[in-house]
Amino acid sequence: MGDELEIACGVFAAINYDNRPIFPYIYWGMRAQNHRGHQSHGFLTYFDGKFHIHRSLDLVPKIKTSAIQEWFGRLPGNLGIGNVRYTTSGKCDEKSLVKGTQPVTASRKGLKLAVSFNGNVVNTFQLKKEICKEFPRFSYECDSDLICHKLLIEYLKGKDTESAVRTCMKEIDGAFSVACINQDGDFFAFKDPHGIRPLCAGHSEDNSTYAFSSETASLDINGFVRDFELEPGELVKISKKGFGRKKLVSGQRKAFCAFEFAYFARPDSRFDTKYVYEVREDFGRNLVWENPAVVKDAEVILSVPETGDDSALGVHEASGLRWERASRRHRYVTERAFILLSKDRSPTIDRKINILAPKIKGKRIIVTEDSIVRGDTTRVIVEKLRRMGAKKVFVFVTFPRIIGPCLYGIDMATYGQLIGAKHSTEEIAQIIGADAVCYQSLKGLVKATGLKQDELCTGCITGKYPTPLAQTIADEMKKRFLQGYEETERLYETESAIPEASSNTD
Ligand code: SF4
């Protein structure tokens, strides 16, 4: 489970052509994706030319049978979009969180748009300036507002959907996977030209319902068939005839987030051909092949549930070592470590994970971890294993050492919070108290995903970011970090801190 990180958002959107209410599909789609954002959730349906919206904080709620009719009444129509969100932009106080809850809407001169978005916009200031010319009182609490208003401005210029989306793709720097409904009930989705965040399309077996989803698990929960992952720079419109696909921007390399495979996505989701759990098993196998001396010294494998489980199976299969299932998650304890004070982390781990001391006492253990970001959680786990009598603790980390921030929607936006930006692998082992830390190699990571290296974003592990402004900002951040500048906030949200970068969007 590494350090508890958050992703920006999860998107699910669907239309039914038999005029059946769409809300149940959206609801289940969002329930299946609550791991992508738990601070707020929202549903929006389209009926009779109007948007009907429910937005609220926290997890997608359980709905009592007695309340179902009320929900249907509140969210009528056969077309809708939903979102779960964790904030990686804007403020985090309760008022801002409520304001930043998606889906968002914007309207002007009879034109209207609703947007559900996953990702992160990097050229926020340039966009805000442009939007404020048309909407002088514009303020925003999430990047979805930027996308929604930018798209509306392009519509106001008389452009059609295709042309408006193309302009957005060309002028917005960042990661964006977006589902939209406009005033006419047109239903469409698109991805940024690098395809950084996931978004797939699927349909019901009777062909009456079509959907877009951040992850395939949300199609599965609805009994839908996955059709395809949207291409980078692709616009997909849905009509009665099915999907209308068009690549609007090309010539830029695909850069799918490599971290989705290691940490964020559900193991039972798939991107292209492989399920995420299969990729994680390969991560485990590769760690064995690349660290024979450590494997020879170890006696038993322990996984940190639940994101370490799949790689533990790979380690077990490739090494022949016993995978001791002696670590279990307390199933209904769901509080997140990061919302508690740092001094509370240790007891939080104790409350969340039960490790059976007699099974590890006196043993030399390989522990599988998905990633190390701050290092706090891994350190606490290693300490706990030592307290319980483990003789040696080797940490196998399925994601390579994180050396830089993410500017595309993962909650690690500064160098200062990254143990891997400040310390070598050996130093990290010392800090967390492990006998050795073995990171996934970049080559092993790429091979396991089934993609080519130049089809992945590896910004946080290589320092090479796929979009120009993100690279400029990351370089500036690194310079300041090395000079001892204290990063108190996300630099790309601090205009005065990066004047030259904030106006550069080439
Ligand atoms: S920088 Fe890292 S976490 Fe962010 S999109 Fe790229 S690979 Fe994913």
Side-chain angles (χ1 to χ4, degrees):
M1 67 186 229
D3 297 277
E4 301 248 4
L5 284 173
E6 304 301 327
I7 199 164
C9 294
V11 172
F12 190 82
I15 187 164
N16 176 275
Y17 284 107
D18 286 345
N19 269 331
R20 286 205 297 272
I22 207 66
F23 171 65
Y25 298 105
I26 309 291
Y27 172 79
W28 287 114
M30 292 335 308
R31 278 293 291 271
Q33 282 189 61
N34 234 162
H35 61 290
R36 296 186 73 86
H38 63 97
Q39 280 184 336
S40 64
H41 63 274
F43 309 108
L44 179 147
T45 57
Y46 176 86
F47 181 67
D48 221 5
K50 291 195 187 95
F51 293 149
H52 302 263
I53 310 169
H54 166 91
R55 297 191 201 108
S56 189
L57 295 184
D58 300 324
L59 296 167
V60 178
K62 289 181 184 165
I63 295 181
K64 287 187 184 149
T65 314
S66 58
I68 288 175
Q69 287 313 320
E70 187 199 325
W71 279 86
F72 277 134
R74 233 185 303 153
L75 293 158
N78 67 330
L79 166 60
I81 54 181
N83 192 279
V84 286
R85 179 175 186 249
Y86 176 82
T87 178
T88 56
S89 62
K91 300 183 198 107
C92 293
D93 59 280
E94 191 165 331
K95 208 170 144 200
S96 304
L97 288 178
V98 173
K99 208 167 161 242
T101 299
Q102 297 191 52
V104 300
T105 59
S107 59
R108 170 69 55 94
K109 296 180 183 162
L111 300 175
K112 207 157 63 168
L113 258 179
V115 162
S116 173
F117 150 95
N118 172 29
N120 203 61
V121 172
V122 182
N123 58 333
T124 48
F125 289 106
Q126 181 239 350
L127 278 178
K128 195 179 164 195
K129 266 186 212 159
E130 183 189 342
I131 292 166
C132 283
K133 281 185 199 152
E134 184 66 39
F135 298 86
R137 285 187 299 172
F138 174 73
S139 73
Y140 73 104
E141 290 302 338
C142 74
D143 288 352
S144 194
D145 282 317
L146 292 168
I147 304 249
C148 188
H149 283 80
K150 171 68 178 162
L151 202 49
L152 190 64
I153 285 171
E154 299 307 319
Y155 272 133
L156 286 164
K157 290 176 188 165
K159 293 181 181 175
D160 60 12
T161 296
E162 193 177 308
S163 172
V165 171
R166 184 182 290 109
T167 305
C168 286
M169 286 181 182
K170 286 185 173 167
E171 295 184 7
I172 300 174
D173 186 302
F176 43 97
S177 287
V178 187
C180 305
I181 304 171
N182 72 10
Q183 70 284 339
D184 300 322
D186 294 339
F187 182 39
F188 57 96
F190 57 94
K191 256 191 194 184
D192 66 81
H194 297 276
I196 296 171
R197 294 271 150 245
L199 191 65
C200 63
H203 70 277
S204 62
E205 282 185 0
D206 66 358
N207 289 315
S208 67
T209 311
Y210 292 87
F212 297 112
S213 179
S214 294
E215 290 192 32
T216 56
S218 290
L219 297 176
D220 295 338
I221 199 172
N222 278 307
F224 291 177
V225 177
R226 174 192 183 271
D227 287 296
F228 56 89
E229 181 73 25
L230 269 70
E231 290 291 319
E234 186 176 44
L235 167 70
V236 180
K237 295 189 213 167
I238 295 185
S239 68
K240 263 186 177 167
K241 290 181 203 147
F243 301 110
R245 303 180 62 178
K246 190 158 189 185
K247 185 130 170 147
L248 300 184
V249 175
S250 53
Q252 286 164 333
R253 79 170 181 92
K254 179 175 172 177
F256 188 82
C257 171
F259 209 20
E260 289 275 355
F261 292 101
Y263 184 82
F264 283 107
R266 277 177 56 150
D268 52 338
S269 283
R270 72 182 162 113
F271 305 122
D272 293 319
T273 54
K274 266 173 133 177
Y275 280 101
V276 169
Y277 82 86
E278 295 176 298
V279 174
R280 290 178 185 166
E281 285 175 9
D282 280 351
F283 287 160
R285 289 186 193 98
N286 191 58
L287 280 163
V288 170
W289 297 327
E290 292 190 346
N291 298 283
V294 174
V295 172
K296 203 171 163 204
D297 195 17
E299 290 173 280
V300 73
I301 304 155
L302 191 79
S303 60
V304 179
E306 286 151 353
T307 48
D309 289 345
D310 298 312
S311 56
L313 178 62
V315 174
H316 160 69
E317 285 182 348
S319 67
L321 293 172
R322 178 174 166 74
W323 175 15
E324 191 66 69
R325 308 300 308 275
S327 54
R328 302 288 171 159
R329 189 178 269 266
H330 294 293
R331 205 162 160 194
Y332 296 103
V333 178
T334 55
E335 290 89 344
R336 306 219 162 208
F338 87 103
I339 57 171
L340 300 170
L341 298 173
S342 58
K343 67 180 168 56
D344 285 337
R345 278 183 188 275
S346 180
T348 302
I349 296 299
D350 285 344
R351 284 197 293 267
K352 291 173 84 168
I353 298 173
N354 192 15
I355 299 177
L356 311 180
K359 295 289 179 188
I360 58 166
K361 195 167 180 197
K363 299 260 172 70
R364 300 186 300 273
I365 305 166
I366 290 175
V367 186
T368 54
E369 262 284 32
D370 52 77
S371 57
I372 299 180
V373 180
R374 298 174 196 91
D376 298 343
T377 308
T378 316
R379 184 178 47 75
V380 167
I381 288 165
V382 174
E383 265 171 22
K384 182 167 175 160
L385 294 174
R386 294 247 189 245
R387 264 201 328 270
M388 290 177 152
K391 201 161 152 195
K392 284 191 179 178
V393 181
F394 308 110
V395 183
F396 275 18
V397 193
T398 57
F399 197 63
R401 182 152 66 100
I402 296 170
I403 58 162
C406 177
L407 288 88
Y408 302 125
I410 307 289
D411 180 32
M412 45 183 199
T414 62
Y415 280 90
Q417 75 192 95
L418 305 172
I419 192 170
K422 294 178 274 195
H423 299 284
S424 67
T425 302
E426 293 70 28
E427 287 169 345
I428 292 168
Q430 260 192 354
I431 292 166
I432 66 172
D435 291 278
V437 170
C438 303
Y439 280 106
Q440 187 71 238
S441 66
L442 180 59
K443 203 172 144 201
L445 170 96
V446 173
K447 192 166 170 239
T449 64
L451 297 173
K452 297 187 190 115
Q453 188 172 335
D454 65 1
E455 293 178 323
L456 288 166
C457 173
T458 57
C460 56
I461 51 179
T462 61
K464 294 189 181 95
Y465 295 83
T467 66
L469 186 61
Q471 186 69 60
T472 306
I473 292 174
D475 290 346
E476 176 68 20
M477 287 170 80
K478 190 168 182 183
K479 199 172 87 192
R480 290 168 184 231
F481 170 69
L482 294 173
Q483 287 168 350
Y485 171 86
E486 203 175 325
E487 302 157 293
T488 52
E489 54 193 321
R490 301 171 181 122
L491 196 63
Y492 57 90
E493 292 182 343
T494 316
E495 185 173 25
S496 60
I498 44 162
E500 69 282 11
S502 61
S503 59
N504 172 11
T505 59
D506 61 347

